[in-house]
Structure formats: C-alpha cells, structure tokens
Amino acid sequence: MSSKERLIIFDTTLRDGEQSPGATMSVSEKIELALELELLGVDVIEAGFPIASPGDFRAVKEISKVIKSSRVCGLARAKRTDIDAAIESLAGSQQKRLHTFIATSPIHMTHKLKMSPEKVIEAAVDAVKYARGFIDDIEFSAEDGGRSEPMFLAELIEQVIKAGATTINIPDTVGYCVPHQFGAFIKQVISNVSNREQAVFSVHCHNDLGLATANSLAAIEAGARQIECTINGLGERAGNAALEEVVMAVNTRQDLFPLETNIDAKRLVGISQRVSEITGFAVQPNKSIVGRNAFAHEAGIHQDGILKHRETYEIMRAEDVGWSGEQIVLGKHSGRNAFMNRLAKLGIHFESKEGFEAAFSQFKRVADQGRGVTDQQLRMFLDKATVSVDV
Ligand code: KIV
Ligand code: ZN
C-alpha cells in the first residue's frame, strides 16, 4: 500500500468533451469509451447530462449498467427536474455520483441567471439537499467559479457542504485564469470555508488561453485533490485540461506533486487514438504525450544525445504512455550516429569507411527531399552500396 495521497481523476470526455462542436458520439461509442476509461483507471466517468437530450439520458443509463470499478456521474443544473432525470438515469449504477451546478460569478448571476447572490445560494443549497435525499455522493460546481468573488464563493461552498455536498468543484469555465493567480484564488477560497475538511476540492479548467493543464496543476498545489479533464483535451471551445497531460505531469514531477493516481498510463496513447477515431478530431502531431511526434527525435544533436544517454532529451519514456516502436526519425537533420545506429538495427554493416560515407551522403540527399527516410527507403538505396547484411 502506498502512503501517498490520492489525486482523483474525473473524466468528462463523454460530457464536456462531447460538447465540442462536431464531436457528437453515439450511445454505443460512448459505452465503448466508458469501458476504455474504466480500464484506464479513471475514478469518475461523467457520462452525460441526462436532461439535455434523450441520447444523453440513454448513454448515462447504459453506461451505469456496465461500469463496475469507476464511479458513474450524471450532470444536472441546480433544478429538481434536472436532478430527477439524472437520478433516474443513474439508477442502475453500482457507484454513482450526481453533479449539480449553478453559476456564481457576478456576470453570470446578473446577465444569465438574473438572480441575486442570495437566491443563487438558496438554489444551490436546495439542489444539493434534494439530491442528497437519493444519492450519497454529490458534487457541486460553482460555474464560472474562476471569475467569482472569493468570499462569496467561500460562503456558498460552506452552505452547500452543510447541505450534503461531498465534492466541491471550482471551474474556470471560460479559461480566463492564469496559474499563479488561480492557485492563490483556490487557496484563498478553501481557507475561508470553515467545514472544508468535509469535502474534496476539485477544479475544472478550460483551455481558452492554453493554460488548462497549468491552472489544474496550480490548483493541486493549492489543495485541490480532484482534477476534471478529458482525453486529448476535448471540450467546449478550446477544450478542457487534457487528462494525459495532468497525469503525466504528476507522474513526472513527483518532486512537486507527491500524489498518486489510479491511471494506467500505458493505455494513454491507445485511448487517445480511439477518441480521435470516434470523434474525427485529429490529434496534432506535436500534442504532448499522445501526438505522434511527442517522442520523435529528428535533430542530429538530439538523436546523438538520446543514443548516448536517453535522459539527455527525454523526460518520460515513450513506452510508459503506450508508444511502441522506433522514436528516432531519420531525416535531413540526423547525424552519422543515428544513421549508423539504425543501420545496425537493420543488420546492415559497411565494409569500408568510404562506403559508409557514400551511403551517408546518399541518405542526406534523399532526406533533403522528403519528410523522413523510412527503413524501406534505406534498404532500397543501400542495396546499391557496398554493404554486408546480417542473415
Ligand atoms: O465549464 C464548466 O463550468 C462546466 C461545469 C458544468 C462543471 O462544464
Ligand atoms: Zn466545462
């Protein structure tokens, strides 16, 4: 048994992720991904927003039946009709969570909800108390929490914990926060909630300024112990914090985040590719962790360093996140060391230094024209050079 504190991973690929324009998934695709997320080891799977559509209702219902080791969660606004739909869809789940939310920022309360701050607290408390009558695990989210008044937020949170909320989520709904400020904000809010020990604090960061992962990490430092995230960072607009980034940042920088997750990191690349196939959203080649270039080295100096000592240019091992195969890409920036190393792996040796130099020049000419030289191309032009081949 590890003595490390646990970081809860709450995946919302099937709810917030599916809210990306064009990323709609069928019920059967959602069930398939839910099973993959369970194998990945996520603690909570947010399976949908049951009141939003019959498809979402059915997805939560079907996922509730098949998922055994993760907790299944359904989203509901702070309204009894929404909560009733979520409770009904979660009925078949062995471990369920109801997630209810209401906006708490001045701009949302004034212009969207047209409710006073007092009425917002009343609605939040009523929703949590009502839901708690049916389900023990209740998450409350303060929508647009990142732009809310910290002391008002602390007051509201204290009330919803009193009403029975077990997880308190503070979203940066519009991706406006920046790490040092968000971390200080989360710390300030948590420290002003007198019953804070009775709930787990969580954040849910959007990526409008490209800071979702950084803000999530800042919140962990400030005391958050649940992170809401999605595979490939899918989600509304610019997306949510990417699960693979948060998990690998925590795994890689244990000196800063001495926490453990239940994620089987070797499954990250596989699930990323499946989410990409299902949604039709390509993963950019240079996407951290799961992009096809995330561990590929082409620069000669880097390749030489990697071949001498991997950690000169790699902070993680490709195989630890599910990549297999060669990560050194032979291209126009590659040097002699990488070229010779690849040939040795292919069982090709040179009988003379001149032969090697001629082949290296030929390789550079080929590499200059294309995107990378494959093993097959190498074999083809080396057939003509003076080499011996292992049999
Ligand atoms: O971004 C957001 O605020 C949300 C909440 C419903 C958690 O998705
Ligand atoms: Zn969101």
Side-chain angles (χ1 to χ4, degrees), residues 15-16 204 206 236 240:
R15 199 277 298 169
D16 210 321
H204 170 116
H206 279 271
E236 281 272 357
N240 288 71

Side-chain angles (χ1 to χ4, degrees), residues 83-84 87 96 98 129-138:
I83 294 170
D84 288 339
I87 289 167
K96 52 191 131 209
L98 188 132
K129 264 196 190 141
Y130 181 68
R132 197 53 211 261
F134 302 91
I135 293 177
D136 288 341
D137 186 333
I138 305 295

Side-chain angles (χ1 to χ4, degrees), residues 10-24:
F10 175 115
D11 180 276
T12 182
T13 307
L14 304 179
R15 199 277 298 169
D16 210 321
E18 206 220 8
Q19 285 173 218
S20 308
T24 307

